[in-house]
Amino acid sequence: MDNRRKENLFFLFTILAVTVIAYAPMVDGILRLSVRTTQAVNAFMLVAVAFADAFVTVFRRRAFRMEINHHGLVLFTLSCVSLAAAALSWLWPLAVLALCLNMVALLSFCFGRDGARVFYPAISGLGIGVGMLLFVPRLDSALRILAAKVSAWLLAEAGFRTDLAVREIPFQVVMVIERGAAGIYDVATECNGFGILLSCVVVTVILGLRRRSRPIRFAGLVGVSLAVGLLFNILRIVAIVIASVRTDLAYDTIHEGLGSVIYLLALGLVYKINISVPARGGVVEAGTTLPR
């Protein structure tokens, strides 16, 4: 091993050690929060698939060449500045940006500037996912009330007598559904729809960047994915209530089984919408534009 390669390895592992130390508390907090949020883990699994696909692409093209380069150093410097600004200002979006920049810098050191570009969709999906996840505590109550009110209206239109009760301390949203027998349904944090919203947006971000969607079109697709997430979460609640009233299946079976089916249908619709919109120039892979 020549001296230049030894220097590259030393600097790379030093930067990797700094990265682990600097971001370990943030990553730990993200993992803890994602486990408590319905389907957030699924959203990050989608990101993991995007990363795996990018790794397959760069290794297939033999893009691995570990070397400290100016592109990676600039990104690493920007990540340090962003992290310091986040620590001084308590603006957490800067910390998320710093994490993403740091990851791109490490990938640039391993695969070069063109190789790192292949990971942009996955890293953007991760950054958007983490940013949205940190909004959960702020949006939970509003999303639960919205889901409960619209679901109760739809159930009333379907012939169910519905009553809605909201308690402030501790916060709780309860629907009482009557059609023959009465049933009480707690619209818990798991029913706020944030998991479906998160997954739909992550899918749109990854596909939009891979297909190089135009900015205005990309923004429109993100808006559509948010609407799809909200709609399918309401449909999920309504379907679970109706199925639990009209069948003898165990509630847990209905909740998990039917909920998973509707979640997959939402992702399928978002995927279909995204690929139906014309791309600007194909999929970006290692600096090469490939036809669809």
Side-chain angles (χ1 to χ4, degrees):
M1 185 181 293
D2 57 29
N3 289 334
R4 182 176 178 80
R5 185 170 176 80
K6 288 180 180 178
E7 290 178 0
N8 283 331
L9 281 173
F10 173 76
F11 281 114
L12 181 61
F13 282 111
T14 300
I15 292 172
L16 181 60
V18 171
T19 300
V20 171
I21 294 171
Y23 294 100
M26 178 180 173
V27 173
D28 179 66
I30 292 168
L31 291 174
R32 291 176 184 273
L33 185 57
S34 63
V35 170
R36 296 200 303 267
T37 305
T38 303
Q39 293 147 349
V41 174
N42 294 342
F44 289 118
M45 287 178 65
L46 296 172
V47 173
V49 170
F51 270 106
D53 179 65
F55 274 111
V56 169
T57 298
V58 293
F59 278 114
R60 186 176 66 238
R61 293 181 172 273
R62 299 178 181 179
F64 182 76
R65 54 180 186 277
M66 193 162 51
E67 183 179 19
I68 303 300
N69 55 57
H70 293 296
H71 175 254
L73 287 174
V74 169
L75 291 174
F76 182 70
T77 302
L78 290 174
S79 72
C80 292
V81 172
S82 184
L83 185 61
L88 293 173
S89 64
W90 294 95
L91 293 175
W92 57 262
L94 291 176
V96 177
L97 176 63
L99 175 62
C100 293
L101 290 172
N102 200 305
M103 292 178 67
V104 177
L106 289 172
L107 290 166
S108 181
F109 294 147
C110 292
F111 303 108
R113 180 172 185 171
D114 287 342
R117 288 179 59 205
V118 181
F119 293 88
Y120 286 177
I123 290 177
S124 298
L126 176 64
I128 293 296
V130 171
M132 289 183 64
L133 187 64
L134 296 176
F135 271 111
V136 170
R138 298 173 177 84
L139 297 178
D140 175 52
S141 58
L143 287 174
R144 286 161 67 181
I145 291 174
L146 174 64
K149 285 184 176 180
V150 179
S151 299
W153 175 76
L154 289 174
L155 287 166
E157 291 295 314
F160 292 83
R161 179 181 174 185
T162 60
D163 291 302
L164 189 64
V166 179
R167 184 171 65 183
E168 294 296 332
I169 303 177
F171 186 78
Q172 187 177 21
V173 181
V174 174
M175 289 195 304
V176 180
I177 310 297
E178 294 184 32
R179 188 167 183 177
I184 299 176
Y185 299 88
D186 181 19
V187 184
T189 297
E190 292 78 9
C191 299
N192 64 14
F194 198 87
I196 298 180
L197 285 172
L198 179 60
S199 295
C200 290
V201 171
V202 165
V203 167
T204 296
V205 169
I206 292 173
L207 289 176
L209 291 179
R210 280 182 61 86
R211 304 180 76 244
R212 301 200 304 177
S213 298
R214 299 181 186 278
I216 295 178
R217 188 175 294 169
F218 179 70
L221 288 171
V222 170
V224 170
S225 68
L226 287 170
V228 170
L230 288 171
L231 174 63
F232 272 76
N233 182 61
I234 292 168
L235 293 177
R236 171 180 169 272
I237 294 173
V238 172
I240 288 173
V241 170
I242 293 176
S244 65
V245 170
R246 293 185 173 177
T247 69
D248 295 326
L249 293 173
Y251 180 77
D252 288 343
T253 301
I254 295 173
H255 186 277
E256 298 303 322
L258 192 55
S260 297
V261 169
I262 293 175
Y263 170 77
L264 293 174
L265 288 174
L267 291 187
L269 178 58
V270 168
Y271 176 80
K272 181 66 175 177
I273 291 172
N274 275 273
I275 65 172
S276 66
V277 175
R280 179 161 49 177
V283 178
V284 177
E285 286 190 318
T288 304
T289 300
L290 301 179
R292 290 190 63 222

